[in-house]
Structure formats: C-alpha cells, structure tokens
Amino acid sequence: MKRLIALCLMLSLGAGLAPAPAAHAQSQVLNLQDADIRVFIQDVAQATGQTFIIDPRVQGKVSISSREPLSRTELFEVMLSTLRANGLVAVPAGSGVYRITPEEGAAAQPSSLSGSGGYGFSTQVFRLRNIDAASAAETLKPLIGRQGVVMPSPRGNLIVVADYADNLARIRSLLAQVDQDRTLTETVTLRSSSAREIAGVVNQVLNSPGAEPGARNALVSLVVVESSNSLVLRGEPDAVRAMLALIADLDGRAETSGDVRVINLQHASAEQLLPVLQQLVGQSPATSEGDAATAAASTSGNGQTATAGGAGRRANIARYPGANAIVIAADPDTQRVLGEVIRQLDTRRRQVLVEAVVVELSDNAAQQLGVQFALAGINGSSIPFSATNYSNAAPNILGLAAAAAGERNLPEDSSALAALRQTALDSVLGARGILTGGYGQSGDALFGFIINAVKNDTASNLLSTPSVMTLDNQEASILVGQEIPITTGEVLGDSNSNPFRTIQRQNVGIQLDVKPQINAGGAITLFLRQEVSSISGPLSESSGELILDKRAIETTVAVDDGAIVVLGGLLDRNERTTVERTPFLGDIPGLGNLFKATSSQNVQRNLMVFIRPTIIGSAADAQALTAPRYGYIRDLEAARSADGLSSLDAIVRDYMQAAPITAPPPPPPPPPVG
C-alpha cells in the first residue's frame, strides 16, 4: 500500500522525477488518502529540494487533495499546514534544513531567528521603545499559540516570542500599533502656589475613590521641580490638558487670596522656627510675645525690607502659640519661598536613647597596732614625767591622763574640767578594733598604758545605669540623688548678737546631661556630662562639714548607632605605711614594739564609664525598646511580691486605660537555602 501511495505521489510530482515541459515543471496536483506522513515528508523533500530531519515521535496518516496544480512553494506551504494540523511543526535548523518535531516543547529547541514561510515555527526578538516589556508580555500571552512562548527582558526592554511565523507577523503588526508614544508632556511654572502642594492636590483629584492619600495616580505623572517652583506633567493629552486648567485656576486663586497665610506646624516648634524665618526676610526678631507688634511696626516704618524672594517688599512673620502656627504677611512669591522652607524644616525628628553604665570596684585595707604609756611621780617624788603618744593610735593617752588629773585637782563646775572630759570622751569613742589598757601606782610613781590593734577591709561595688531619651539636637538630663546643704558663709557678729549662716543646696547622686546629634552616616555625636557623687562623711570628728566623693566626665564623642564605647576611667592603687616610734627604744628587736605604733593602708580602685546611644526613628522602634524594659520591671515586682503577681499591668490597664506593653514577636526564620 505504501509503495502504491508513493508511486502515485511520484507520478503526480513528475517535475522532481523525470523531464517534463516547462509549463508543468513547477506545478503538480495532489491526491492522497491515508498516506503515511513520514513518506509524505520524504516525497516533499524530493520535490522541493529541502532537507527535513524527522523526529522519531512523528507518526500518523494524512489525506490531501487539490483540484489545481501546485508549485513547489505552494507544495511546501501545504506540507507546513498539514504538519500544523497534525500537531507537528517544522523548526528551521539552517539554510534549507528543517527539523520536524511535535509542537510540545518546540519553543525550547534550538532554531534560527529567521521565518519559515507563513506556517513554520520561529523565534523573533521585538525591541520596544515606548511601552514596558513586562506589561506588553502580559498583553500578548493570550495571543500566543498553545506551544508558543513570550519572554520579557526588562534590561533592554525587549520581548522574545517563539511561535508560528504567521502569528509572529500578526504580533509584529500589533506591537507596531501599540508601541507608540501618544502622551503629552507639559511644564507649568507656578507664581503664587507651592509646586509640591499643587502636586499633592492633583494626585488626590486623579486618584480613584478609596486610594491611599499619598498614592500616585495612573493617568498623569507629576514631577516637582523645586528650583523653579514648576511642575512637569506627562500623560494622556486629554488628562494633561484638564490638569493644566485646574493648576492655572488654583494658582490664580492663590494670587488673589490675599497677602496673609497661616501655616500650622506638624512637628517643629513655632517658637524655634520664628527667628529663622525672620532672619530670611530681614525682620527684627521679637524677644517676647509683646514685642512682635513692635517689631512689625518698626519694620513697616522703615520702608521696604529684604525678602526671601528678593522682591524687596515688606514681609512680617509672627507665631500663634495657641495653635503652634506661623503667620506670614508677605507677597505670594515670598510666601511660597517661606512655605517651602517651613515644609523642609517641619519634619518629624528622630529620637536617641542614651544609656550609660558606671562601674566602680574598690578595695580598702587598713591595719594599725600601737602601744602608749605614761609615767609620773607624786608627793614630791623625783620621778620625771614621761609618756609616748602617736598620731596614728587611739585613744590619746595624754588626753586621758589630763582628764584624770583634772578630776583630782579642778572643781566640778570648772569649764576646763568639762573640756578635758569631752576631749577624753571623743578620744575613746574614736578608737577602733581591740583596745586594752590599765593604770596603777607603785610607791610614788603613777603609770598607765594603752594597747590598740585594728584591721579594716572594705570592698565596694558601684554599678549605676542612668539612661535618658531625647530628640535629635535637644538637650536632656536625668538626676537621681539628693540635695544636701553646704555651708558657704558664717558670721557670728559682735558678742554673738546677730549670728547667721548661709547655706547652698548641692545635688548629690547620679546625673547625666546629654545632647545627641545624628549624623548623615548613621553615627551619633554626643555632647555629654556624666557625674556620680556621694557623701563620704564628715571632715573630722569635731567638724560638721561634709566630704563629697565625685566622679565626673565631660566630653564629646562620636558613636555608631547601637554601639558601646568607653568614655573614660581610672585605675588607681595607693599603698601607705606609717611608723611612729621612740628613738633608740623603738629600734630594739622585740622590745621595741612597745615603743612604736604602725599603720598601713592599701587602696585599689577601678572605675569605668560606658555609653550606648540608640537611634529611634519610628513608633515601632520605640515599642521594641520599651517592651523589654517594661517586662524587666514587671518581672522584678512579681518576684518580690508574696503572690508572684505584678500590679504594674493593672495600673497601666485601669489608670492609663491602655494595654500593657508586650514584646514584639520575633522575626520569622530565613527560608532554607536550596
């Protein structure tokens, strides 16, 4: 059967088999019924001189009949149409070479970029000039064949399309009609209004109902040119022309609305902003609210003043504290310039949380050992008075001996006896450690002795963490301590007739003064003063004046956001040994200890101050920093209460009518790689 079909086909395509007249060499008649498609492709290859590479998956039967003779070109196109009708495609693979494969996956197979008649499968690249490649690809997808592929390339604004050649021609024609710039571009220079303000109004007018207030519209693109106070509009001609009329109307209304404008500030302080604006227009800054009218009157009386716009007209600026507003009385051009200055300055300022850590570790070890004695004769004895007395030993044996002698020889109401008693009492009360002594009489000799020994070890650990939050470029301070009285002057007067004493209060405790400045690179410049002070004790036992221990640092540092840096510190070690002895007698080995007093002191101190600033740019950042500190205090209170509950949440919920602060959820883990 196959041989019969092939024979019929060869007879009908005689131009490729045997010589024939010129009139019949280029046209033949087809008449096939259930012929094998692979045999059909082979016979067409012989008749047309083309080369076909047939995929093993190509199978099937075809039936073709033609009433009119077909040329070689028409025969080739009939074959391509037959292949397409049977789910097959001829993919160009070179000059006169085609690969016959099923349609499935044909777009992924290599092929030349040239067409193949009207029905061959081909790939072409379209370069777009005015429309976006991604949006154009989405538009073309429904028009592509079942096995066709369309791929956008945003880098070069290209579209790669693989499909039948006739469909590629249709897509090329469609893109030629669509890829055209029909938009209109216009530039408008405003005279009385702010370009940024008008741009916001136009966007709101063009936005669909329910859209976000700051969203861009899809009809007209607006670009603000602040240097010339202009607007550049680009979009559909009808929409652009309508917006041009609206902008002209708004600008004209602003010109005729008067020379006074009130600007309500959102973030900045009108009191701080007013002197800046007054300097721009040459107005004398008012030192108080009552001076505003005086300054305005003097400005108008002096004639014309310099303005921000350079027009030379009078401009007066005042503030209304009740609404934190700025009132500008000036021509429209000056109002526009000042309004733009206010817009750039009236922004939400970032905040900085400054945390300091002060750590001080100190050890103080002291040791004393002393022996004192006294000897004196009585009843006219020739025994001389002798005694040992040392400043680093207590109590003072001479003071005790003088008080004992006063008890025997002075009257009870004597002021000298009272002074001797007080001195002896203070000396005994000032003794520390172990104290032993005694006195006695042997014949005409009186004697007494005192032995004292003391060892003192003191270790201290000071850890303070003051922190304060403030705005960028805004000074802030925190003080946790006391106010103590310090005597600054005292007058007894004549015969104590009008005595008085002047007292000055002084802060003692932990104090942090800081002014942060956020730099453009994310670093923070800190102007700060850190002080930790405490009361060490009285100046002496007989004086009420106080000794204050103070540790202070005043410096300027630059720290990265969230970094910890050391501001300074002190590593101090002080060793002191004092030996007081009687000459010659104190040098005797062993026995010499009875004639001397020794004291030693060893002081070590380690002091460090650390600082950590953190930039808070949003409410979420503030919440993230507040939540862990709130939870820390709440947990401490719960741990100290008998029932293990904290009343902090109840106070926040009941008194402040707010929800207790909770820590934000942790960020989701990153997706697994691979």
Side-chain angles (χ1 to χ4, degrees):
M1 181 64 182
K2 293 182 178 180
R3 301 295 299 172
L4 178 60
I5 297 175
L7 181 59
C8 294
L9 182 61
M10 292 170 63
L11 291 175
S12 62
L13 300 177
L17 301 176
H24 299 281
Q26 302 297 331
S27 60
Q28 300 296 331
V29 177
L30 284 178
N31 188 8
L32 300 177
Q33 296 294 328
D34 292 332
D36 188 274
I37 193 170
R38 300 175 68 91
V39 177
F40 172 64
I41 296 174
Q42 294 174 5
D43 293 337
V44 172
Q46 294 179 4
T48 60
Q50 305 287 349
T51 301
F52 300 103
I53 303 173
I54 304 175
D55 191 279
R57 295 173 294 174
V58 176
Q59 301 291 337
K61 304 287 186 178
V62 295
S63 297
I64 307 172
S65 62
S66 64
R67 295 184 179 181
E68 301 293 335
L70 301 177
S71 65
R72 291 184 178 183
T73 302
E74 293 172 341
L75 178 61
F76 182 70
E77 292 180 354
V78 167
M79 186 199 72
L80 294 180
S81 300
T82 304
L83 294 176
R84 186 170 182 178
N86 287 271
L88 302 174
V89 62
V91 180
S95 178
V97 180
Y98 296 87
R99 186 170 52 254
I100 310 299
T101 63
E103 282 185 340
E104 182 178 359
Q109 297 186 16
S111 65
S112 64
L113 298 181
S114 60
S116 56
Y119 299 93
F121 206 88
S122 182
T123 302
Q124 289 194 11
V125 179
F126 300 94
R127 182 181 299 275
L128 304 179
R129 301 184 182 277
N130 301 298
I131 60 177
D132 180 60
S135 59
E138 291 295 328
T139 304
L140 293 177
K141 279 183 179 180
L143 305 177
I144 302 299
R146 182 180 59 181
Q147 299 300 332
V149 175
V150 55
M151 295 287 294
S153 177
R155 181 182 293 265
N157 201 33
L158 305 174
I159 293 182
V160 181
V161 182
D163 203 353
Y164 288 100
D166 56 347
N167 201 26
L168 289 176
R170 184 164 62 97
I171 291 175
R172 184 184 305 105
S173 175
L174 177 62
L175 287 177
Q177 300 178 32
V178 175
D179 189 22
Q180 295 182 7
D181 186 10
R182 297 186 177 89
T183 59
L184 177 64
T185 302
E186 291 287 346
T187 301
V188 182
T189 300
L190 304 179
R191 299 182 178 276
S192 305
S193 305
S194 169
R196 186 171 297 276
E197 180 182 358
I198 295 298
V201 174
V202 173
N203 270 325
Q204 292 183 13
V205 171
L206 294 175
N207 276 337
S208 58
E212 293 293 333
R216 291 183 175 271
N217 68 88
L219 298 177
V220 178
S221 298
L222 290 93
V223 178
V224 178
V225 184
E226 297 182 0
S227 59
S228 60
N229 194 40
S230 302
L231 282 176
V232 179
L233 293 84
R234 184 174 185 271
E236 293 296 329
D238 294 340
V240 170
R241 295 189 186 96
M243 291 303 103
L244 288 176
L246 175 62
I247 293 172
D249 181 55
L250 293 176
D251 195 35
R253 292 176 183 271
E255 184 176 4
T256 59
S257 60
D259 291 342
V260 179
R261 181 182 180 186
V262 178
I263 302 177
N264 292 300
L265 303 180
Q266 302 296 325
H267 305 284
S269 170
E271 182 179 3
Q272 298 178 355
L273 191 58
L274 179 62
V276 177
L277 301 177
Q278 290 176 336
Q279 290 180 14
L280 292 177
V281 300
Q283 178 183 344
S284 300
T287 57
S288 64
E289 293 300 323
D291 296 337
T294 305
S298 63
T299 304
S300 60
N302 294 334
Q304 296 178 344
T305 64
T307 64
R313 304 178 189 175
R314 180 177 62 85
N316 291 324
I317 307 173
R319 72 182 181 95
Y320 178 56
N324 192 35
I326 295 291
V327 182
I328 302 175
D331 58 276
D333 192 30
T334 303
Q335 288 186 18
R336 177 186 61 80
V337 175
L338 295 180
E340 183 63 21
V341 173
I342 293 174
R343 184 194 65 80
Q344 297 185 31
L345 296 179
D346 187 22
T347 58
R348 178 172 177 171
R349 295 163 63 183
R350 290 181 289 179
Q351 302 181 91
V352 179
L353 174 64
V354 181
E355 301 170 288
V357 177
V358 182
V359 183
E360 181 178 0
L361 305 176
S362 63
D363 293 320
N364 188 355
Q367 181 176 317
Q368 295 180 359
L369 175 63
V371 178
Q372 303 176 72
F373 69 88
L375 177 66
I378 59 174
N379 299 326
S381 173
S382 60
I383 300 174
F385 175 78
S386 60
T388 60
N389 184 29
Y390 307 111
S391 61
N392 58 356
N396 192 319
I397 194 172
L398 294 182
L400 298 180
E407 291 289 342
R408 292 186 177 185
N409 302 312
L410 295 177
E412 186 66 24
D413 57 350
S414 172
S415 60
L417 178 60
L420 291 174
R421 288 175 176 174
Q422 186 63 39
T423 300
L425 180 61
D426 293 340
S427 179
V428 173
L429 294 178
R432 297 175 297 170
I434 185 172
L435 178 66
T436 183
Y439 71 96
Q441 180 177 354
S442 177
D444 293 336
L446 288 177
F447 64 90
F449 69 93
I450 297 175
I451 301 175
N452 72 302
V454 61
K455 184 176 182 181
N456 182 24
D457 291 325
T458 303
S460 64
N461 181 9
L462 173 63
L463 177 64
S464 60
T465 57
S467 62
V468 63
M469 183 184 295
T470 181
L471 291 173
D472 181 25
N473 277 312
Q474 188 72 37
E475 294 183 1
S477 64
I478 182 174
L479 171 64
V480 180
Q482 297 175 317
E483 281 191 350
I484 63 172
I486 303 294
T487 301
T488 59
E490 185 176 18
V491 176
L492 298 178
D494 298 337
S495 301
N496 293 331
S497 59
N498 187 24
F500 67 90
R501 176 182 297 175
T502 58
I503 301 295
Q504 180 180 355
R505 297 283 178 175
Q506 182 171 336
N507 295 328
V508 175
I510 301 171
Q511 184 170 0
L512 174 63
D513 301 327
V514 64
K515 180 181 178 181
Q517 176 181 310
I518 302 176
N519 301 329
I524 306 171
T525 301
L526 296 176
F527 309 90
L528 58 86
R529 183 178 186 276
Q530 169 72 52
E531 178 180 315
V532 178
S533 57
S534 59
I535 301 175
S536 177
L539 183 63
S540 64
E541 296 178 358
S542 60
S543 174
E545 301 298 333
L546 300 177
I547 298 177
L548 301 181
D549 291 335
K550 181 179 292 187
R551 307 152 191 87
I553 292 180
E554 185 172 355
T555 183
T556 301
V557 294
V559 191
D560 289 336
D561 179 23
I564 300 177
V565 67
V566 60
L567 294 182
L570 173 67
L571 302 179
D572 182 26
R573 181 171 183 176
N574 184 13
E575 296 182 1
R576 182 172 60 181
T577 301
T578 303
V579 179
E580 297 183 9
R581 58 189 173 186
T582 303
F584 304 112
L585 296 178
D587 296 332
I588 301 174
L591 185 62
N593 292 328
L594 299 177
F595 299 94
K596 66 182 178 181
T598 62
S599 66
S600 62
Q601 187 175 15
N602 185 2
V603 179
Q604 298 184 20
R605 180 170 52 182
N606 301 323
L607 173 65
M608 286 292 169
V609 179
F610 303 90
I611 202 77
R612 179 177 184 261
T614 304
I615 298 176
I616 302 175
S618 62
D621 294 342
Q623 184 77 4
L625 285 174
T626 304
R629 290 158 177 79
Y630 180 90
Y632 176 77
I633 296 298
R634 178 179 54 195
D635 295 341
L636 282 181
E637 185 186 13
R640 295 182 179 182
S641 63
D643 53 2
L645 300 177
S646 173
S647 60
L648 181 59
D649 288 344
I651 293 176
V652 172
R653 184 170 46 251
D654 299 337
Y655 179 73
M656 294 186 175
Q657 299 297 317
I661 301 175
T662 57
V673 179

